[in-house]
Amino acid sequence: MAEAEEVTAPPIDKLGTLLPGDPVTRRPGCFQRFDFLAGKVTVPAMLWCHPRSTGALLIAFNGAVRRKKAKNPAEIFQRSTWVHDIDSDVLFLADPTLRTDNKISIGWGQGQPGAYAIPAMAQTAFFVAEHLGVASSKRVYYGSSAGGFQALQVAARDFSSCALVNNAQIDWTLYARQNVQAICQTSYHGRSAAEITKAYPDRTSTARAFGEFENIPRTKYLLNTASQNDAAKQLPALVSELGAGTAPTQQRVDVSMYIDPAGGHNPLPKSRTITEINQMLSEVSSAHE
C-alpha cells in the first residue's frame, strides 16, 4: 500500500497589529497572522491565500473553544488545517471575547463592556476583502454553533454576501444556561439575558440583526433535527422573527435539515463540510456581479 502523501504545514508570517490604513497583500501558500485594531476592539485574524486566486473569500469563525492554560484563545483558528482542501482564500477570525484573563469558551462576539466585538469583526473582514479585491458577492461567511452566530451577524452587515452555517445559534440567550450567564457577567456587567435582549435586540438575535440592517443574507443553514436546542429553540427563533413562509425569506434562507442522533450539536464531519463550503464558493465564483 502506498504511503499517504504528507502535507507540509504552510509558513506563518506574523504581521503584528494592523490599522485600517495598513496594507495587506496576497501571499499564496502562506498564513499571515495579525491583529486588527478597530476602535476599542482587537480582532485576532489569520489569512490564508490559495495558490490560485479564485476571486472568492471564505471568512471562518470559531465555535466553542476548548480552553487550556497553555493556549492563548487568540491563537486558536479552528479548521485552519483544512486550507489545502478549500477552493479559495480563507480569513480566520477568533472571537475577541475569549481572552487570557477569562475562562470563557463561547463568546458570540459580544466582547467586553463598552467594546462590542461583532462590528470590529465585520470591519476586519471588509478590510481584508477590499485589499484582496473581493467583492461582497464573492464573500462566504462560515461557522458552526457560536461561529455560525458570528457568521450570520457579519453577513447581515455585508450586503450581497452569503453565509453557510451549521447548527448555528440564532439567539444566544436560548443556549446553555452556564454559557449565557458567563457572557451576561463578562460582557454586560451581570445584566440578565432579558435585560440585554431588550436593550440590544440585534446583539442577541441574528434574525433581529437582519431586521436592524434590513438585509437577509443568502444563507444555507445546515440543521441537525436530532439536536434538541437547535431544532426546538434556535430554528423557531429564526422562523418566528422572520415570519414563516414569506417569499423574501424563502428566497434567502435555505434550511437544510438532516438527522444524526450521534452527532447531536456537533458540526458535520470534515468531508461533508468541505463539500458544502466548496459548493457555495463555486456558486459565488461563477456568479455574475
Side-chain angles (χ1 to χ4, degrees):
M1 179 183 293
E3 293 185 2
E5 183 179 351
E6 184 176 347
V7 178
T8 303
I12 300 177
D13 186 6
K14 296 184 178 181
L15 306 183
T17 299
L18 300 183
L19 301 174
D22 291 332
V24 170
T25 58
R26 290 195 81 254
R27 291 194 58 195
C30 176
F31 281 119
Q32 297 182 73
R33 170 72 180 91
F34 62 92
D35 293 322
F36 186 75
L37 182 59
K40 297 180 180 179
V41 180
T42 298
V43 180
M46 190 159 68
L47 173 65
W48 156 263
C49 288
H50 195 278
R52 177 179 58 86
S53 177
T54 64
L57 176 66
L58 179 75
I59 301 96
F61 300 82
N62 288 346
V65 171
R66 184 174 297 176
R67 298 298 298 264
K68 297 180 180 179
K69 289 184 178 180
K71 189 68 173 179
N72 183 345
E75 301 303 328
I76 297 175
F77 299 98
Q78 294 172 346
R79 304 177 181 87
S80 59
T81 58
W82 294 9
V83 292
H84 294 288
D85 300 304
I86 296 174
D87 297 337
S88 75
D89 296 346
V90 188
L91 175 64
F92 298 92
L93 299 180
D95 187 347
T97 313
L98 279 60
R99 303 171 9 159
T100 54
D101 60 358
N102 64 41
K103 298 180 180 179
I104 294 171
S105 59
I106 306 175
W108 295 291
Q110 299 303 292
Q112 310 303 312
Y116 181 43
I118 289 290
M121 299 175 83
Q123 191 174 347
T124 307
F126 303 161
F127 165 77
V128 171
E130 289 166 4
H131 276 288
L132 297 182
V134 180
S136 291
S137 60
K138 308 294 184 183
R139 303 172 194 170
V140 175
Y141 293 93
Y142 166 75
S144 64
S145 191
F149 176 91
Q150 296 166 72
L152 291 172
Q153 282 279 357
V154 177
R157 292 162 165 78
D158 193 1
F159 290 77
S160 300
S161 70
C162 58
L164 172 67
V165 297
N166 186 190
N167 294 335
Q169 277 91 62
I170 300 300
D171 183 335
W172 61 262
T173 68
L174 301 176
Y175 196 59
R177 182 180 179 184
Q178 66 272 21
N179 298 117
V180 171
Q181 289 181 332
I183 293 304
C184 291
Q185 183 63 42
T186 299
S187 302
Y188 295 99
H189 294 300
R191 298 171 72 177
S192 70
E195 289 174 324
I196 298 166
T197 296
K198 184 177 181 179
Y200 310 105
D202 60 297
R203 295 189 186 186
T204 60
S205 165
T206 60
R208 296 191 194 104
F210 295 164
E212 175 69 20
F213 293 97
E214 298 183 346
N215 177 42
I216 301 175
R218 184 168 70 84
T219 300
K220 187 167 185 180
Y221 179 13
L222 302 166
L223 175 74
N224 185 5
T225 57
S227 174
Q228 181 65 22
N229 185 266
D230 293 298
K233 293 187 177 182
Q234 301 300 334
L235 179 59
L238 175 68
V239 173
S240 63
E241 192 67 33
L242 297 184
T246 59
T249 302
Q250 289 180 336
Q251 293 170 4
R252 305 299 294 177
V253 181
D254 171 14
V255 180
S256 182
M257 298 182 184
Y258 61 97
I259 303 175
D260 182 3
H265 180 63
N266 292 323
L268 286 163
K270 175 184 176 180
S271 59
R272 170 74 186 278
T273 303
I274 288 290
T275 297
E276 294 285 353
I277 288 173
N278 285 338
Q279 180 178 335
M280 185 165 280
L281 287 170
S282 176
E283 291 172 2
V284 301
S285 295
S286 59
H288 295 295
E289 293 290 342

